[in-house]
Amino acid sequence: MEHKFNTTTHGLDLQTLFEFCEQEGEIVCYKKGEQLECEGKPSQWFAFVIEGCFKYVIHGINDGKEHITWFSFESEFVSDYPSCLSGRNAQTTIEAMVPSRIIRVSGEQLMQLFRHNSQMMELRSLIAEHLLTQSRVHFLDFYRATPRERYELLLHRCPGIVEHLPLKAIASFLNVTPQQLSRIRKDITYENKK
């Protein structure tokens, strides 16, 4: 998806963590649709996406309808963090959207690393702050950006997403219907032809 693997995510240097995963973890391949974590079951894993893409899914309380809340692409980490650190139940299902390959460690292994010294404990806090910031921006975008602007922001984050993910998945993430997203895409195509 036009990403090259690196361990810097929006200013967050994860090189030490990636090296730990390489040394202590395992490389695991997931087929499309296979789950890394399952909502409501104990969370276990922290991983880096080496190849592929994962979606984060929650289900509606009354209707059970699937809602996509986030994606993790190549060069990013994928985890129900901090649930995996404590073994609490996952708040989301994390599922491979395409054949994917990750390098993963258990939450327990990660906690052992964090307890190792104060520098690692600081990294733990920085990851939590990073995720909080990401979530907050995503939440605020629902109020400050139109559906088209949210779509354009997603395209900026991952330019190849439309070639790899179904329209329905992208629409769910943007909280629009597939029909609305089709109109947005049609409008953008029409404007680019002018």
Side-chain angles (χ1 to χ4, degrees), residues 54-56 68-72 76 134-135 138 157 173:
F54 287 80
K55 65 180 178 178
Y56 293 61
I68 297 174
T69 60
W70 199 250
F71 298 105
S72 286
E76 298 177 341
Q134 262 185 342
S135 298
H138 184 59
R157 176 175 175 224
F173 176 72

Side-chain angles (χ1 to χ4, degrees), residues 24-91:
E24 302 296 326
E26 62 181 336
I27 293 177
V28 181
C29 296
Y30 287 82
K31 296 176 185 172
K32 179 180 178 180
E34 287 187 323
Q35 296 176 351
L36 173 69
E37 298 287 9
C38 181
E39 180 180 6
K41 294 188 177 172
S43 181
Q44 302 178 69
W45 306 111
F46 180 92
F48 285 94
V49 181
I50 297 171
E51 182 179 3
C53 171
F54 287 80
K55 65 180 178 178
Y56 293 61
V57 178
I58 59 169
H59 295 88
I61 293 172
N62 293 319
D63 62 5
K65 185 178 174 184
E66 180 179 288
H67 301 278
I68 297 174
T69 60
W70 199 250
F71 298 105
S72 286
F73 301 107
E74 291 174 19
S75 80
E76 298 177 341
F77 64 84
V78 56
S79 177
D80 190 331
Y81 187 95
S83 296
C84 77
L85 298 178
S86 64
R88 288 192 314 257
N89 287 346
Q91 298 295 305

Side-chain angles (χ1 to χ4, degrees), residues 30-161:
Y30 287 82
K31 296 176 185 172
K32 179 180 178 180
E34 287 187 323
Q35 296 176 351
L36 173 69
E37 298 287 9
C38 181
E39 180 180 6
K41 294 188 177 172
S43 181
Q44 302 178 69
W45 306 111
F46 180 92
F48 285 94
V49 181
I50 297 171
E51 182 179 3
C53 171
F54 287 80
K55 65 180 178 178
Y56 293 61
V57 178
I58 59 169
H59 295 88
I61 293 172
N62 293 319
D63 62 5
K65 185 178 174 184
E66 180 179 288
H67 301 278
I68 297 174
T69 60
W70 199 250
F71 298 105
S72 286
F73 301 107
E74 291 174 19
S75 80
E76 298 177 341
F77 64 84
V78 56
S79 177
D80 190 331
Y81 187 95
S83 296
C84 77
L85 298 178
S86 64
R88 288 192 314 257
N89 287 346
Q91 298 295 305
T92 183
T93 295
I94 302 174
E95 179 180 305
M97 295 206 64
V98 297
S100 301
R101 190 163 50 101
I102 63 171
I103 185 165
R104 74 180 188 190
V105 294
S106 71
E108 187 176 309
Q109 287 173 287
L110 193 56
M111 276 304 295
Q112 288 174 3
L113 173 69
F114 289 151
R115 289 185 191 115
H116 183 69
N117 63 41
S118 61
Q119 185 180 7
M120 290 296 103
M121 202 51 106
E122 183 178 340
L123 179 59
R124 177 184 178 187
S125 297
L126 290 173
I127 293 169
E129 288 173 14
H130 169 76
L131 291 173
L132 178 61
T133 299
Q134 262 185 342
S135 298
R136 183 170 166 77
V137 166
H138 184 59
F139 174 77
L140 294 174
D141 282 347
F142 279 106
Y143 292 95
R144 67 177 165 209
T146 66
R148 177 179 172 155
E149 290 166 339
R150 292 196 307 269
Y151 177 66
E152 290 170 339
L153 289 168
L154 181 61
L155 291 180
H156 178 73
R157 176 175 175 224
C158 189
I161 193 168

Side-chain angles (χ1 to χ4, degrees), residues 1 27 30 36 80 160 162 171-172 183 187-188 190:
M1 292 202 196
I27 293 177
Y30 287 82
L36 173 69
D80 190 331
V162 296
S172 175
R183 283 193 297 275
D187 290 346
I188 290 171
Y190 176 75

